[in-house]
Amino acid sequence: MGDRFGLYQLLLTLVIFVPFERLFAARPQKIFRRGLLTDLAFLFLNGWLVVAGQIVIVTVAILVNQSILPSAVKQAIDDLPYWVQVPLVIVIGDLGIYWAHRILHVVPTMWHIHAVHHAVEELDWLAAVHAHPLDTMFLKAGSLFPLFALGFSTEAIGTYFLVYYWQSYLVHANVRLNYGPLRYVLVSPEFHHWHHSSETEARDKNFAAIFSFYDLLFGSLHLSKGRKPKTFGVDNPMPTSYLALLAYPFVIWASKHKRDDPSAPVVLSEVTANVRESAKGLQ
């Protein structure tokens, strides 16, 4: 039943976003763009890895809730009606996403995981799934752990999941939407497209997933009035196949370890060569 529901959800997403991008395209772009097959691999193959990580995250969070959280706090949250819990869950969840996302950018070791997501050079709705499983798990930990640890209801958290699901596809979609004055409150496609831009001025900006005011509050907001981002991606060469992208952070980490070892120095060109060789072998 769950697999069937997931398939129906995917088909509905496809039916909505493909014509949406045709009607309101931000940039000329083909439906069968470069990297489409790799994104489909991420879509269909990442799921079980992420679910396994999610089970661990939720289990630990529930243990924290049961063994550490004061009973008065648990009772206060449990007494909140659904319609109060939902906005609280979305606000708290997105704050967790903001900081987890920012860590993925500013901590070099974590960036090698997140770079897989930023490797997309032709942005559309399906780019939302182009992410390393470790990346997705870390972001889920940022949002899910505090929500389950605090003891919010599964119904409220499930509603947040649904909002986040559609929001992820929308903000990556190749559509020209900026929300006007509300762009400083809510994350729009324009807002997130700047996050993916390879232009220097936009780097390490716009981390929030739903509420852009978090970036305004923490000094990481970038919205260039009257301009749209023109190029996407990262500076260094990236693999293009699914398996090679899964291996990418591990290849980089291994190469850096060898480079830091005086008995086995490795220069930057060798790191790039290792990544390319790994990509060839896994394609």
Side-chain angles (χ1 to χ4, degrees):
M1 180 65 74
D3 291 342
R4 185 179 298 178
F5 176 75
L7 180 60
Y8 288 157
Q9 197 172 32
L10 172 62
L11 291 174
L12 181 60
T13 307
L14 183 72
V15 168
I16 290 173
F17 280 104
V18 170
F20 190 34
E21 290 186 331
R22 295 301 95 193
L23 291 172
F24 303 101
R27 299 165 302 279
Q29 191 165 284
K30 297 177 181 178
I31 295 176
F32 297 101
R33 58 166 173 80
R34 179 180 46 172
L36 179 66
L37 293 179
T38 299
D39 287 353
L40 290 173
F42 275 104
L43 177 65
F44 290 109
L45 300 178
N46 265 17
W48 67 273
L49 293 170
V50 173
V51 168
Q54 187 173 302
I55 290 172
V56 173
I57 293 164
V58 172
T59 300
V60 175
I62 291 174
L63 288 174
V64 169
N65 173 267
Q66 294 177 348
S67 60
I68 297 177
L69 197 71
S71 57
V73 176
K74 288 193 285 187
Q75 188 61 50
I77 292 175
D78 192 54
D79 288 342
L80 293 174
Y82 168 81
W83 61 270
V84 174
Q85 284 200 29
V86 169
L88 283 175
V89 163
I90 295 174
V91 168
I92 294 170
D94 202 47
L95 180 61
I97 288 285
Y98 174 90
W99 284 110
H101 194 177
R102 191 160 182 168
I103 288 170
L104 285 167
H105 275 257
V106 301
V107 177
T109 301
M110 302 300 288
W111 167 249
H112 300 313
I113 301 171
H114 194 54
V116 172
H117 181 56
H118 279 267
V120 177
E121 295 181 351
E122 295 186 55
L123 208 62
D124 64 12
W125 67 279
L126 198 55
V129 302
H130 187 113
H132 198 283
L134 293 176
D135 184 339
T136 306
M137 287 181 218
F138 189 72
L139 290 173
K140 284 186 178 295
S143 59
L144 288 183
F145 187 87
L147 297 179
F148 278 98
L150 288 169
F152 285 101
S153 71
T154 53
E155 292 81 8
I157 296 173
T159 302
Y160 164 65
F161 257 154
L162 192 60
V163 171
Y164 183 78
Y165 174 88
W166 289 102
Q167 174 71 355
S168 295
Y169 284 118
L170 174 61
V171 298
H172 288 91
N174 179 26
V175 292
R176 54 180 188 276
L177 284 177
N178 62 29
Y179 296 175
L182 286 177
R183 65 184 179 275
Y184 296 107
V185 179
L186 298 173
V187 172
S188 65
E190 178 197 49
F191 176 98
H192 196 68
H193 289 186
W194 274 115
H195 175 75
H196 276 270
S197 173
S198 57
E199 298 172 49
T200 304
E201 64 186 283
R203 292 184 181 180
D204 300 328
K205 304 290 184 181
N206 298 5
F207 298 111
I210 297 174
F211 297 116
S212 56
F213 62 72
Y214 281 133
D215 284 280
L216 185 63
L217 178 63
F218 297 119
S220 54
L221 180 73
H222 177 80
L223 285 171
S224 188
K225 191 173 181 180
R227 288 185 57 228
K228 296 186 298 184
K230 297 178 180 178
T231 57
F232 306 101
V234 295
D235 294 336
N236 55 287
M238 295 288 290
T240 56
S241 74
Y242 174 72
L243 290 177
L245 285 165
L246 287 189
Y248 174 79
F250 301 104
V251 172
I252 292 292
W253 293 336
S255 298
K256 283 182 175 291
H257 177 73
K258 288 179 65 178
R259 185 181 61 190
D260 293 338
D261 184 349
S263 64
V266 177
V267 296
L268 185 59
S269 60
E270 290 178 298
V271 173
T272 303
N274 286 340
V275 173
R276 286 176 170 168
E277 193 62 32
S278 174
K280 290 177 182 178
L282 291 169
Q283 283 176 342

